[in-house]
């Protein structure tokens, strides 16, 4: 045999490129989904250190993985809305009540307002604990729904 018979040449015009897969990235494994959902819920811990950056990791997880996992998209979006409503909303409300009740303490029986402000200040702490419960549940593969937020988002997300 000669060297020219050992190789088969193909005209490059006749070769069609292989079609690329339609999905941009493979689906996530269950373990990856659970871990990402857990981190989305635990992102509320950053609010303790920074005051407001807890939303960033949950948003990044949501936008980065929403096309690869509906579970991760749902859990991370829940974490964002929960933080907006309960953590920041309660902190703002507690600040307003404290601001309003402080002059009342000097003028009349505003101790109740001060007590109410202190009570409202506990809501972000309760939200933090509730988010940790959500993180543990999602890490163990259980579907977690925040009270009020979860069902509303599920209805909106499934549209």
């Amino acid at each position: 045999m000669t060297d020219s018979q050992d190789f088969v040449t193909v005209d490059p015009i006749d070769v069609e490129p292989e079609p690329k897969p339609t999905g941009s990235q493979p689906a996530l494994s269950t373990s990856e989904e659970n871990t990402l959902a857990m981190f989305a819920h635990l992102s509320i811990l950053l609010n303790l250190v920074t005051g407001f950056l807890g939303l960033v990791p949950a948003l990044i997880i949501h936008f980065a993985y929403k096309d690869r996992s509906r579970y991760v998209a749902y859990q991370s979006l829940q974490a964002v809305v929960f933080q907006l409503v309960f953590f920041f909303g309660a902190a703002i409300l507690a600040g307003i009540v404290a601001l309003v009740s402080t002059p009342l303490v000097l003028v009349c029986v505003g101790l109740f307002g001060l007590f109410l402000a202190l009570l409202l200040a506990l809501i972000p702490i309760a939200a933090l604990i509730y988010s940790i419960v959500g993180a543990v549940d999602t890490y163990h593969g259980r579907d977690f729904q925040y009270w009020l937020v979860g069902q509303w988002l599920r209805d909106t997300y499934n549209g």
Side-chain angles (χ1 to χ4, degrees):
M1 280 184 141
T2 63
D3 288 333
S4 63
Q5 293 176 343
D6 289 341
F7 298 101
V8 177
T9 59
V10 178
D11 188 11
I13 298 172
D14 295 337
V15 177
E16 293 182 19
E18 292 183 14
K20 294 183 179 178
T22 55
S24 60
Q25 296 176 344
L28 297 171
S29 70
T30 303
S31 175
E32 290 172 323
E33 285 182 332
N34 295 344
T35 302
L36 286 167
M38 176 192 68
F39 283 134
H41 289 292
L42 286 179
S43 67
I44 198 169
L45 293 172
L46 280 176
N47 293 332
L48 294 176
V49 178
T50 63
F52 62 93
L53 288 179
L55 295 171
V56 175
L59 281 172
I60 290 172
I61 290 170
H62 176 73
F63 287 116
Y65 295 99
K66 70 178 180 176
D67 295 332
R68 294 177 65 188
S69 170
R70 289 179 54 92
Y71 179 73
V72 172
Y74 171 68
Q75 294 295 332
S76 60
L77 190 59
Q78 249 195 123
V80 168
V81 172
F82 180 77
Q83 286 183 48
L84 284 172
V85 172
F86 287 97
F87 196 84
F88 293 113
I92 290 170
L93 189 61
I96 290 170
V97 170
L99 190 68
V100 170
S101 67
T102 302
L104 290 176
V105 168
L106 300 173
V107 175
C108 62
V109 186
L111 289 176
F112 176 73
L114 188 59
F115 174 72
L116 183 63
L118 292 174
L119 190 62
L120 288 174
L122 293 177
I123 293 175
I125 295 169
L128 177 71
I129 293 168
Y130 197 30
S131 292
I132 292 171
V133 169
V136 170
D137 278 356
T138 55
Y139 184 74
H140 290 295
R142 293 185 290 267
D143 188 30
F144 179 77
Q145 284 189 15
Y146 286 112
W147 176 68
L148 297 178
V149 174
Q151 191 58 44
W152 173 75
L153 273 176
R154 183 161 292 187
D155 295 341
T156 305
Y157 202 74
N158 291 333

